[in-house]
Amino acid sequence: MSSPAVARMAGPAEVVTDHSWPGTSTRVLRLRAPDGRHMILKTHTSGDSFRRELTALTGWAPALGTSAPQLIDVDILL
C-alpha cells in the first residue's frame, strides 16, 4: 500500500507483515521505519469503524499509559 498519506505519516517505511482480516475491507499493515520503529497502519472503508477506532485511540488508549498504542497521525478521506 503506497500513497502520499502513507509517505507523510510513516515516511519511507517498509511493510513487514499484513495483518488484514479475510473477508473485510479493513487493511492492517505492520511497518518498519528506517530507524527501526514499528508502526501499525490501519485503513477503514467504513466511517463508523473509523470513528470507533479514533475514539478508542484518542479517548481511551492514553489512560492505559505508555504500553498502549499511540496514535501518530490520521488521514480522513470519508
Side-chain angles (χ1 to χ4, degrees), residues 51-76:
R51 284 186 284 282
R52 279 193 302 270
E53 183 118 12
L54 185 59
T55 296
L57 290 170
T58 58
W60 305 338
L64 300 174
T66 58
S67 62
Q70 294 178 337
L71 182 63
I72 297 171
D73 204 341
V74 175
D75 187 33
I76 301 172

Side-chain angles (χ1 to χ4, degrees), residues 25-75:
S25 58
T26 299
R27 299 273 321 262
V28 182
L29 303 175
R30 176 178 291 276
L31 308 175
R32 182 175 43 237
D35 65 4
R37 289 180 303 137
H38 281 253
M39 299 169 275
I40 298 293
L41 174 68
K42 190 168 186 182
T43 63
H44 292 279
T45 56
S46 161
D48 289 339
S49 294
F50 172 80
R51 284 186 284 282
R52 279 193 302 270
E53 183 118 12
L54 185 59
T55 296
L57 290 170
T58 58
W60 305 338
L64 300 174
T66 58
S67 62
Q70 294 178 337
L71 182 63
I72 297 171
D73 204 341
V74 175
D75 187 33

